[in-house]
Amino acid sequence: MSMVGIPAQIRSGKGNDFSAMLIQFPFDLQARSWSLEGSLKLKNLFGYGDLWDGSVAYGWGQTSEVSTGFSIPRFKGISTPLSARISLLSQDWLKFSSYKEQALGLSLGLLSTGNHDLSYNLSWRTLTDPSQMSSHTVRRQLGHSLLSALKYGFRIDQRDSPMRPTRGHAFVSTTQIGGLFPDLRSLRFIRQASLRCWIAEID
């Protein structure tokens, strides 16, 4: 796997930062695959320590994604950080599973403290079968479906160093609850997305 990139960064006199990866070109000669990626970031645009970013990715013959979002650590009297992201993902699986997928998603950060994170995710997914050759499992999922979920994260980190800890412990848990919309097309589930624990005791 090889990669070619052209980065750029500009800093203004008002403390605003502008950074961009104009072209990122990863390619694999053995697998005969390549993709184009571009990203743009604006820091401290309104003087609140805010971060605005946008990205575009295109994989030859398979995947493309466009997303944009922002995050503000502190905004006036609001104690919790503000964050939001919207994305559009298109995937072409005709060569492997005979279907195409498109998903429009929105993510909102609701709460972020030292130990707790709470976010809301809304996604509208569309599956199509242009070749009419997909499996029965895929055919049952064709059409539109709605994913509405709350994502809760809990973390404790008492390690003396996050990179090379010698003492302490850490615990991270992420849980998702889906199907909050009263809609038959809404996917309903409760999922433990991740559960990790570290214990470091080196004498």
Side-chain angles (χ1 to χ4, degrees):
M1 175 72 70
S2 301
M3 183 176 294
V4 177
I6 305 177
Q9 184 170 2
I10 300 174
R11 175 168 294 179
S12 68
K14 298 181 180 180
N16 300 331
D17 287 344
F18 165 83
S19 61
M21 177 63 71
L22 302 179
I23 299 176
Q24 189 168 321
F25 185 22
F27 56 92
D28 192 335
L29 296 178
Q30 295 180 350
R32 296 182 180 179
S33 63
W34 59 270
S35 64
L36 287 174
E37 301 174 9
S39 62
L40 174 68
K41 291 184 179 181
L42 296 173
K43 299 180 181 179
N44 202 32
L45 187 62
F46 297 103
Y48 294 100
D50 46 306
L51 174 63
W52 303 77
D53 71 279
S55 63
V56 178
Y58 177 77
W60 174 252
Q62 186 172 342
T63 304
S64 62
E65 182 177 10
V66 179
S67 67
T68 183
F70 73 90
S71 62
I72 304 177
R74 287 286 185 271
F75 183 73
K76 296 185 177 181
I78 302 176
S79 59
T80 186
L82 302 177
S83 64
R85 174 164 293 277
I86 186 171
S87 62
L88 177 62
L89 174 66
S90 298
Q91 299 185 93
D92 187 345
W93 301 105
L94 289 176
K95 293 182 180 179
F96 306 100
S97 301
S98 302
Y99 72 90
K100 289 185 176 182
E101 178 181 2
Q102 187 176 72
L104 177 63
L106 173 66
S107 177
L108 298 175
L110 303 178
L111 175 68
S112 181
T113 63
N115 301 106
H116 307 276
D117 288 303
L118 183 64
S119 62
Y120 174 72
N121 300 291
L122 181 65
S123 179
W124 181 257
R125 188 181 71 167
T126 303
L127 289 183
T128 59
D129 179 18
S131 64
Q132 301 293 321
M133 297 177 61
S134 60
S135 64
H136 293 289
T137 302
V138 173
R139 290 179 184 177
R140 287 197 298 265
Q141 302 179 50
L142 293 178
H144 304 291
S145 61
L146 181 67
L147 172 61
S148 174
L150 280 175
K151 183 178 180 181
Y152 170 71
F154 175 75
R155 62 180 180 273
I156 296 177
D157 194 344
Q158 300 293 332
R159 297 173 295 178
D160 54 358
S161 172
M163 300 299 295
R164 294 184 177 180
T166 59
R167 292 187 180 278
H169 62 276
F171 175 80
V172 177
S173 173
T174 303
T175 305
Q176 282 186 313
I177 302 176
L180 303 180
F181 267 52
D183 192 326
L184 295 177
R185 293 171 296 182
S186 178
L187 302 178
R188 292 175 171 82
F189 62 88
I190 298 178
R191 180 173 63 186
Q192 184 68 36
S194 65
L195 184 63
R196 292 175 290 176
C197 181
W198 298 269
I199 299 177
E201 289 293 339
I202 301 178
D203 296 328

